[in-house]
Amino acid sequence: MKLELRGITKRFGALTANDHIDLTIEPGEIHCLLGENGAGKSTLMNVLYGLYQADEGEIVVDDVEQRFSGPGDAMAAGIGMVHQHFMLIPVFTVAENVMLGHEQTRFGGRLDLAAARAKVREISDRFGFHVDPDAIVEDLPVGVQQRVEIIKALSRDAQVLVFDEPTAVLTPQETDELMATMRQLREAGTSIVFITHKLREVREVADRITVIRLGKVVGEAEPTATNAELASLMVGRSVELTVRKDPPKLGDEDLVVSGLTVTDEAGTVVVDDVSFSVRGGEVLAVAGVQGNGQTELTEAMVGLQERVDGSVRLGGSELVGRSVRDILDHGVGFVPEDRSVDGLVKEFSIAENLMLDRSHGAPFVRNGNLQLRERDAFAHEKIDEFDIRTQGPSQPAGRLSGGNQQKVVLARELSRDLSLLVAAQPTRGVDVGSIEFIHTRIIATRDAGIPVLVISTELDEAAALADRIMVMYRGKVVGIVPGDTPREQLGLMMAGMSPDAAGAASGEEASA
Ligand SMILES: Nc1ncnc2c1ncn2[C@@H]1O[C@H](COP(=O)(O)OP(=O)(O)OP(=O)(O)O)[C@@H](O)[C@H]1O
Ligand SMILES: [Mg+2]
């Protein structure tokens, strides 16, 4: 199937999010869309999927002009979308979820459960997905849930599949598997539109690359282009892809965590007797495959976990047992892993979100009165400084593009008077230009003498920022090693091997 978007224009009030965009998707190609946060990629895909109606332009499928008044129409025309926040019903089985999709399509026939199970099995076998039709969706890892979304789309004969930042939530291994799936789909004749901010992924799978900037197509790039070339085409200037930092000027052991243990609701120990310390002026990065206790560790430190034993001492005061409010007031900056759940109130304006945790004190509140002028001045300053692409401080945060929402959280947390920064996946969903800026700010925080704890599933990011790296596996600390430890050794530690054994094994590999 050949898909053409011709002159697509989509406006939100005064903002032109898509400005006469032409894009052709050839049969059986993987077409990457690259662009800065807020460039208009998701908007364009939402127009294609019938979620938004274009103000101008047309969608043409195999030379026939189409009108999509909703996703049902797009699906009927052979267009499927794998959303970043999955649309699956968690308590239903895989087969039930696949069946539901069919009831929603306008032209698709109804499926019964037996047929749905057979369909799941057939598609799963065809692509080697290993998805059990009777599994309950909420019990499945994120990567497998994503495959269920793919199966759902394929069961409706999707010939063009749109993936909007699918790898942001995946582990490196799940990402590799998804890339393999995309190639398989391409071999089977399905076209893929793939949006990602990770240039490595683009260069690995793309047949063609289209770059969008400020709502317009600015050009095509070759998959053979270097990271630096792709980055400068996206951002319109050259981008520093490595973090510059001076050796740390170490201060006192400001943060001392000892014997920290967290138990989840089911009684499983998810953080197991974890001890470490971070000095002022130092970045400790926590690396490890996602799901090995890193999330619960950070949550326990800021008071978001209930069953916590052990101690977290910051500048001599104990944080365990205190409320979140109290801990934040203590100068702890916290960038949560999932901004849409913990970081932002989507209905609130950007200005309100930027002062969210300071709404009870100076300078924004004096004698019980909200100081609107100070609040708005602060918001304007942060919007400039962090390059938040918005129509203004009163825009609801939920209307921002994904990466710009992340920048609001970072702007708020990095602008406080900090005694500790805990940042989980700080650059998730953020474009390369903004990654450069955020990394610079994190290093500036460290250089101001503040202890910094960074959690990242991106080994590149952990290695770039860290003075020391702590690897976690199954809730335990495997080891704490210098920031320049070779990747192979870190990789083995992430699988549970001790630092010494991993060092020896990776050394052998290197000399073999
Ligand atoms: N429903 C909406 N109402 C108002 N403005 C919107 C709406 N949806 C998107 N926008 C604006 O349109 C522009 C393009 O947003 P879009 O989500 O398409 O960007 P993107 O390229 O997907 O960025 P990211 O890489 O951060 O996901 C942004 O400035 C955004 O604030
Ligand atoms: Mg987007």
Side-chain angles (χ1 to χ4, degrees):
M1 172 171 131
K2 181 174 173 176
L3 175 70
E4 290 167 86
L5 298 174
R6 293 185 188 155
I8 297 288
T9 297
K10 176 67 188 170
R11 299 187 190 90
F12 296 108
L15 175 90
T16 306
N18 289 163
D19 191 356
H20 298 94
I21 290 191
D22 294 319
L23 183 74
T24 304
I25 310 295
E26 301 287 347
E29 75 171 359
I30 299 178
H31 197 128
C32 282
L33 284 189
L34 267 184
E36 291 176 284
N37 296 130
K41 305 175 297 291
S42 296
T43 302
L44 186 67
M45 291 303 109
N46 287 335
V47 166
L48 173 62
Y49 196 54
L51 285 165
Y52 291 157
Q53 268 63 56
D55 297 305
E56 289 173 45
E58 54 214 38
I59 299 171
V60 179
V61 174
D62 287 335
D63 298 320
V64 181
E65 193 186 328
Q66 305 280 332
R67 273 209 180 276
F68 299 156
S69 53
D73 292 348
M75 287 180 222
I79 296 159
M81 188 150 169
V82 176
H83 295 269
Q84 194 184 328
H85 290 278
F86 303 136
M87 306 293 190
L88 302 172
I89 299 178
V91 294
F92 282 13
T93 67
V94 170
E96 284 164 347
N97 268 285
V98 167
M99 191 171 75
L100 265 182
H102 283 265
E103 287 170 352
Q104 284 164 354
T105 60
R106 203 154 74 179
F107 306 107
R110 281 171 181 254
L111 274 181
D112 58 34
L113 190 57
R117 295 172 71 215
K119 192 91 195 165
V120 170
R121 230 175 247 124
E122 183 255 316
I123 297 171
S124 174
D125 286 350
R126 188 165 9 129
F127 292 100
F129 279 171
H130 306 289
V131 172
D132 172 7
D134 299 317
I136 304 287
V137 161
E138 67 184 355
D139 297 338
L140 299 172
V142 174
V144 180
Q145 292 191 22
Q146 198 167 58
R147 285 183 211 150
V148 177
E149 287 271 14
I150 297 172
I151 291 174
K152 210 170 135 177
L154 293 177
S155 77
R156 284 173 265 174
D157 300 319
Q159 292 170 56
V160 174
L161 262 185
V162 177
F163 290 87
D164 192 351
E165 293 191 46
T167 58
V169 290
L170 298 184
T171 65
Q173 196 201 338
E174 286 172 332
T175 299
D176 288 344
E177 286 166 8
L178 178 66
M179 303 275 178
T181 302
M182 286 187 185
R183 291 197 196 93
Q184 268 180 300
L185 286 163
R186 173 180 62 191
E187 301 319 315
T190 310
S191 313
I192 288 172
V193 183
F194 177 32
I195 300 176
T196 179
H197 287 293
K198 298 177 193 166
L199 302 179
R200 175 167 28 94
E201 296 170 2
V202 174
R203 292 192 300 129
E204 200 171 307
V205 293
D207 297 309
R208 280 207 298 155
I209 302 168
T210 296
V211 183
I212 298 178
R213 198 191 312 150
L214 300 171
K216 293 195 174 94
V217 173
V218 292
E220 281 204 16
E222 292 298 321
T224 51
T226 63
N227 281 354
E229 286 165 350
L230 291 175
S232 69
L233 195 53
M234 275 172 69
V235 182
R237 62 177 170 91
S238 69
V239 177
E240 194 77 53
L241 293 166
T242 47
V243 186
R244 270 172 212 273
K245 61 180 204 284
D246 295 326
K249 294 193 184 63
L250 296 177
D252 297 335
E253 270 193 356
D254 286 340
L255 176 72
V256 181
V257 173
S258 42
L260 195 71
T261 298
V262 181
T263 313
D264 71 7
E265 280 166 21
T268 312
V269 175
V270 286
V271 176
D272 194 354
D273 195 16
V274 165
S275 301
F276 62 91
S277 63
V278 187
R279 289 177 177 275
E282 179 188 39
V283 177
L284 178 71
V286 183
V289 175
Q290 200 155 17
N292 280 283
Q294 303 94 324
T295 307
E296 293 84 356
L297 169 68
T298 57
E299 287 176 353
M301 291 178 62
V302 296
L304 282 167
Q305 283 281 340
E306 281 171 22
R307 287 154 288 266
V308 181
D309 286 316
S311 148
V312 176
R313 296 186 77 80
L314 179 61
S317 345
E318 179 60 52
L319 299 186
V320 170
R322 295 197 191 200
S323 68
V324 181
R325 158 97 287 142
D326 214 12
I327 293 173
L328 297 184
D329 282 350
H330 221 83
V332 177
F334 179 53
V335 179
E337 182 178 287
D338 189 345
R339 61 176 172 259
S340 58
V341 180
D342 304 313
L344 285 173
V345 183
K346 292 200 163 180
E347 299 74 27
F348 284 14
S349 71
I350 295 167
E352 286 164 332
N353 271 287
L354 280 170
M355 54 160 278
L356 207 54
D357 42 14
R358 280 190 281 184
S359 48
H360 60 302
F364 302 121
V365 179
R366 286 212 181 95
N367 305 323
N369 293 320
L370 191 59
Q371 304 294 305
L372 285 180
R373 194 179 306 165
E374 315 230 333
R375 185 188 77 181
D376 288 348
F378 179 73
H380 276 293
E381 187 190 311
K382 293 303 151 191
I383 287 169
D384 266 6
E385 187 183 340
F386 282 80
D387 193 17
I388 299 167
R389 305 287 169 92
T390 169
Q391 287 177 274
S394 58
Q395 192 180 6
R399 298 263 173 84
L400 290 173
S401 80
N404 282 298
Q405 294 183 17
Q406 179 76 356
K407 289 194 226 167
V408 172
V409 176
L410 281 153
R412 181 183 66 220
E413 298 304 314
L414 287 170
S415 304
R416 299 174 47 208
D417 222 349
L418 293 177
S419 54
L420 167 70
L421 175 65
V422 179
Q425 319 299 347
T427 57
R428 178 173 278 178
V430 165
D431 68 48
V432 285
S434 304
I435 288 175
E436 173 192 22
F437 175 72
I438 290 166
H439 282 174
T440 309
R441 287 297 303 258
I442 289 175
I443 293 301
T445 304
R446 157 211 193 239
D447 290 345
I450 294 158
V452 177
L453 188 68
V454 171
I455 288 79
S456 184
T457 46
E458 295 279 309
L459 207 42
D460 288 338
E461 177 166 82
L465 292 172
D467 298 307
R468 288 185 301 146
I469 299 180
M470 172 165 106
V471 179
M472 286 183 74
Y473 180 70
R474 297 201 175 152
K476 283 189 168 35
V477 175
V478 176
I480 301 179
V481 293
D484 58 0
T485 301
R487 291 186 67 110
E488 300 73 39
Q489 186 179 347
L490 291 171
L492 292 170
M493 287 173 66
M494 283 162 71
M497 206 183 265
S498 76
D500 288 347
S506 64
E508 274 162 30
E509 217 168 89
S511 60

